[in-house]
């Protein structure tokens, strides 16, 4: 690992503690990586506004791959350098499909403004849907029924009970509607027992986002290092040459990569320690 030039880390459940704070050890490790001229990259499902809620300006990251790779942001320069959205035609088609099935779902505006969102609340009550709404209601509005959206969307998020068979069936059904989209699974960080079914453009994933950043910067794949904790980190960890999962990862995926301590026990600092020697 002597030739590593880029380290990419997930935020929630990985770099951040459960209370969304940053441990002193993780912050120290981040600074030491910078002293060794290793680029420090966030790869998160959070939109950029949500990243800024938990990462103060002075925290020395170099790039933010946000919304699971829908956008890339130069952190020190405060500059957007890339975004990818679903076309308006397909966005409206998917709205009709999800609404027709009466799913509880959210539709997010085009990146980089994807902190703004629309919602459709199905007839079946969903505790997780209500809790998520309580965190985002200041930027939310109900999907219009009398007109189509003029622009495309960054993503959709459907909320379903945690059921692997149901998720796989729904994933196949959604992806069969268009070659333009892909479905990513994420465990809910809000309420246990729910899956977030996230629908993006097919070129959007944390792995694709970091890959694009590497190509922009002239960094080779074998010079990359990644750490995550959940299903939506798997494509990132398959891309990075040296990859680690935290101890708090779901048991079903723990055997896929080397393990480091949990996010409550300085997972990031432990993972990158060999790079600091």
């Amino acid at each position: 690992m002597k030739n590593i030039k880029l380290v990419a880390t997930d935020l929630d459940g990985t770099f951040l503690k459960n209370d969304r704070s940053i441990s002193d050890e993780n912050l120290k490790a981040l600074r030491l990586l910078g002293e060794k001229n290793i680029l420090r990259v966030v790869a998160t499902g959070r939109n950029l506004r949500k990243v800024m809620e938990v990462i103060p300006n002075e925290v020395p990251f170099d790039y933010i791959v946000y919304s699971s790779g829908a956008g890339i942001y130069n952190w020190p320069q405060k500059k957007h350098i890339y975004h990818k959205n679903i076309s308006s035609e397909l966005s409206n088609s998917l709205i009709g499909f999800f609404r027709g099935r009466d799913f509880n779902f959210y539709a997010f505006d085009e990146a980089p403004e994807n902190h703004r969102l629309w919602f459709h609340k199905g007839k079946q009550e969903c505790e997780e849907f209500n809790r998520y709404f309580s965190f985002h209601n200041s930027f939310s509005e109900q999907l219009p029924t009398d007109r189509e959206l003029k622009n495309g969307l960054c993503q959709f998020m459907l909320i379903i009970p945690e059921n692997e068979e149901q998720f796989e069936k729904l994933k196949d059904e959604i992806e069969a509607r268009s070659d333009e989209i892909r479905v990513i699974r994420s465990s809910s960080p809000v309420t246990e027992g729910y899956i977030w079914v996230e629908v993006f453009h097919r070129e959007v994933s944390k792995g694709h986002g970091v890959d694009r950043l590497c190509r922009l910067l002239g960094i080779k794949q074998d010079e990359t290092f990644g750490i995550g904790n959940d299903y939506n980190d798997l494509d990132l960890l398959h891309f990075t040459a040296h990859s680690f999962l935290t101890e708090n990862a779901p048991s079903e995926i723990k055997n896929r990569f080397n393990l480091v301590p949990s996010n409550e026990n300085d997972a990031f600092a432990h993972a990158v320690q060999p790079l600091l020697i």
Side-chain angles (χ1 to χ4, degrees), residues 156-173:
F156 292 86
M157 185 177 80
L158 289 72
I159 298 174
I160 64 172
E162 190 166 11
N163 182 304
E164 187 69 26
E165 183 177 349
Q166 181 185 1
F167 167 75
E168 291 295 337
K169 182 179 179 180
L170 182 58
K171 178 179 186 293
D172 290 343
E173 188 176 0

Side-chain angles (χ1 to χ4, degrees), residues 220-233:
K220 299 176 183 178
Q221 186 175 2
D222 62 5
E223 297 171 329
T224 61
F225 182 108
I227 175 173
N229 80 302
D230 202 2
Y231 291 94
N232 65 344
D233 297 313

Side-chain angles (χ1 to χ4, degrees), residues 192-211:
E192 289 187 4
Y194 288 93
I195 292 174
W196 288 0
V197 183
E198 299 182 286
V199 184
F200 291 94
H201 189 279
R202 68 174 181 270
E203 296 178 10
V204 170
S205 73
K206 292 183 181 182
H208 286 163
V210 173
D211 181 18

Side-chain angles (χ1 to χ4, degrees), residues 1 4 6-9 221 223-227 236 240-244 268 271-275:
M1 291 194 283
I4 296 298
L6 181 149
V7 170
T9 179
Q221 186 175 2
E223 297 171 329
T224 61
F225 182 108
I227 175 173
L236 167 67
T240 50
H242 303 274
S243 304
F244 299 85
F268 179 82
V272 303
Q273 186 58 39
L275 307 179

Side-chain angles (χ1 to χ4, degrees), residues 20-87:
R20 308 296 188 259
S21 66
I22 303 172
S23 74
D24 291 340
E25 288 301 311
N26 282 356
L27 191 57
K28 178 182 177 182
L30 201 63
R31 288 172 175 154
L32 290 173
L33 288 172
E35 292 176 7
K36 289 185 173 290
N37 296 315
I38 297 174
L39 288 175
R40 300 147 299 182
V41 179
V42 167
T44 179
R46 285 175 175 258
N47 63 54
L48 190 57
R49 183 180 289 266
K50 286 293 181 183
V51 171
M52 293 177 178
E53 290 179 0
V54 294
I55 303 297
N57 284 331
E58 64 271 16
V59 175
F61 280 110
D62 298 295
Y63 294 91
I64 310 294
V65 175
Y66 64 90
S67 297
S68 296
I72 303 175
Y73 185 74
N74 185 310
W75 185 246
Q77 296 180 13
K78 308 303 177 192
K79 180 181 178 182
H80 292 277
I81 60 177
Y82 172 81
H83 59 262
K84 191 70 176 182
N85 297 296
I86 302 171
S87 68

